[in-house]
Amino acid sequence: MTEENFIPKPYTNLIDSGSFTWASPSNIALVKYWGKKEHQIPENPSISFTLNNCKTTTTVSFSKKEINTGFSFEVFLDGEQKEDFKPKIEIFFKRVEVYLPFLNAYHFKIETSNTFPHSSGIASSASGMSALALCLMSIEKELSTDVSEQDFIKKASFLSRLGSGSACRSLEGDLVVWGTHDEIKGSSDLFGVKYPYDVHQNFKNYQDTILLVDKGEKQVSSTVGHNLMHGHPFAQKRFKQANSNLSQMVSILKNGDLDQFIALVESEALTLHAMMMTSMPYFILMKPNTLEIINKIWNYRKQKGSKVCFTLDAGANVHVLYPQNERASVLEFIKNELVAYCQNGQYICDVIGLGANKL
């Protein structure tokens, strides 16, 4: 499949106005992607758990313009107009215009809200861009009789990727792969695919408690970080490692080995941050409390024989991952020992989810 497959046939229906609302979750990568080629193509494949509670709800209202004067839209976050969001959406619209030719024909009002802090290391761009892409696909489905349910999700994921790479992993669940990998049927660089194989019961209803170490905006955007992989001295080794780790993850998801899962997931998280620390310019997104939490988790796991582990996105916050059968004990551990390292004692209890919903 190529990009040309996502260019629609001429629309058959006429619509003057309307509105669609979608809620789309964030996701947390187990095998990370860091570094991308032109057109938002990943340098290596990745796999993520889809979250359930950390999500963005977006309403797109549209009305026909009398004159085609280019893109026309306004953006609101939690009811407040956000001019600073417009450049990113303008870039997104330019990238997807050939695939959504109706974009110039309407004025759009984009209203969005998150259940978690914006730009704090939880992937708000993933949930936000996927929710927006789904709303736009709902419009296209009204304009065309030629969009099947399967095509709808695939194209929405394809469009999401052009807004934010990891957004293409947020539409379905509970595990999604993005990036071509020899051992995963149907995998593609162009869109995310629901993990196609059986998953061991150990990973069902997996828990993710997100410790909000720093709710402020990241000092370096993910876009800048990805670009620093160009010419990075360890880049090619890293891309090869990620492919190998994804092969291992396929085996782990089948056999349910939680010790192997822990080792791989934590290594991936630390490798991601190692890439940041060894780029030029270099940067550190972990905070002192991030390291305190990691050490506390390691000590708890050793003392209790627990299967709790951590992972990190490109930020200071810690995702504490653990099986459902340890929920009560791990939450007690978090309240007693880890909350002290969270900003204002805040954390989010989440669980692996099944993807986006039309509201």
Side-chain angles (χ1 to χ4, degrees):
M1 183 169 264
T2 67
E3 288 90 341
E4 283 70 29
N5 292 104
F6 295 101
I7 298 173
K9 296 175 183 176
Y11 298 135
T12 53
N13 301 330
L14 297 174
I15 307 172
D16 288 331
S17 62
S19 179
F20 291 100
T21 302
W22 279 85
S24 189
S26 185
N27 64 77
I28 180 65
L30 306 173
V31 174
K32 313 290 186 180
Y33 108 94
W34 196 245
K36 54 191 174 186
K37 305 171 190 175
E38 195 177 7
H39 307 308
Q40 298 283 95
I41 298 298
E43 288 278 12
N44 67 265
S46 58
I47 186 169
S48 61
F49 270 143
T50 307
L51 299 181
N52 187 67
N53 302 331
C54 290
K55 59 188 175 184
T56 298
T57 299
T58 296
T59 297
V60 175
S61 306
F62 58 100
S63 55
K64 192 84 170 175
K65 295 187 301 186
E66 291 189 11
I67 304 173
N68 188 340
T69 54
F71 302 132
S72 175
F73 62 91
E74 49 192 334
V75 191
F76 296 82
L77 175 66
D78 298 325
E80 180 183 342
Q81 195 154 7
K82 299 291 285 187
E83 290 296 320
D84 55 326
F85 281 20
K86 291 188 76 171
K88 186 167 186 176
I89 293 177
E90 179 90 20
I91 291 169
F92 174 59
F93 275 18
K94 286 178 181 175
R95 287 175 178 170
V96 302
E97 182 182 9
V98 65
Y99 311 110
L100 297 174
F102 66 83
L103 286 177
N104 274 310
Y106 294 93
H107 173 76
F108 300 95
K109 183 179 182 182
I110 303 166
E111 300 171 277
T112 190
S113 62
N114 297 324
T115 60
F116 55 90
H118 173 71
S119 293
S120 62
I122 303 173
S124 60
S125 59
S127 56
M129 282 298 179
S130 56
L132 176 57
L134 285 160
C135 289
L136 295 175
M137 276 305 299
S138 288
I139 297 172
E140 179 163 272
K141 193 171 183 181
E142 290 292 305
L143 292 166
S144 173
T145 55
D146 200 34
V147 183
S148 69
E149 198 57 43
Q150 184 179 11
D151 290 342
F152 182 99
I153 290 296
K154 189 176 288 186
K155 184 169 177 178
S157 180
F158 170 82
L159 297 171
S160 299
R161 188 199 93 242
L162 293 170
S164 168
S166 59
C168 74
R169 298 191 309 240
S170 279
L171 285 78
E172 297 182 281
D174 45 3
L175 283 155
V176 176
V177 174
W178 171 38
T180 303
H181 190 274
D182 291 342
E183 295 176 41
I184 299 176
K185 182 181 177 182
S187 59
S188 173
D189 289 343
L190 298 180
F191 47 83
V193 297
K194 184 176 166 64
Y195 185 70
Y197 307 124
D198 289 339
V199 175
H200 194 279
Q201 195 63 33
N202 283 350
F203 300 108
K204 299 299 182 183
N205 298 315
Y206 224 72
Q207 308 289 303
D208 181 4
T209 299
I210 305 155
L211 307 182
L212 301 179
V213 173
D214 183 4
K215 291 168 62 181
E217 293 208 12
K218 294 179 293 187
Q219 68 192 56
V220 179
S221 73
S222 294
T223 299
V224 171
H226 282 291
N227 288 338
L228 291 174
M229 287 298 281
H230 298 304
H232 192 295
F234 308 133
Q236 296 306 315
K237 291 274 190 182
R238 165 58 197 156
F239 303 146
K240 185 176 179 181
Q241 177 196 48
N243 273 280
S244 174
N245 282 349
L246 187 49
S247 294
Q248 288 184 51
M249 184 60 78
V250 170
S251 175
I252 290 166
L253 292 172
K254 182 179 180 180
N255 66 35
D257 191 318
L258 289 172
D259 291 327
Q260 288 185 354
F261 178 80
I262 289 166
L264 194 154
V265 167
E266 291 189 345
S267 172
E268 275 286 315
L270 295 174
T271 300
L272 171 68
H273 283 259
M275 292 299 102
M276 301 175 201
M277 289 189 278
T278 51
S279 61
M280 187 59 72
Y282 43 80
F283 52 100
I284 300 174
L285 293 186
M286 287 189 279
K287 302 289 185 184
N289 282 357
T290 308
L291 298 176
E292 292 284 355
I293 288 167
I294 289 171
N295 279 299
K296 288 279 187 182
I297 289 171
W298 284 343
N299 290 336
Y300 176 83
R301 192 165 71 217
K302 186 176 181 181
Q303 292 169 7
K304 303 290 186 180
S306 169
K307 302 303 181 185
V308 67
C309 70
F310 72 88
T311 190
L312 308 164
D313 259 339
N317 297 328
V318 182
H319 290 251
V320 185
L321 300 176
Y322 49 99
Q324 185 182 29
N325 63 8
E326 288 194 43
R327 186 173 188 274
S329 55
V330 171
L331 285 177
E332 192 67 20
F333 161 59
I334 289 169
K335 290 172 187 174
N336 291 341
E337 296 194 44
L338 302 185
V339 166
Y341 301 104
C342 299
Q343 189 173 334
N344 301 322
Q346 290 187 290
Y347 60 95
I348 299 170
C349 290
D350 213 331
V351 63
I352 305 316
L354 297 177
N357 291 296
K358 187 179 179 183
L359 303 179

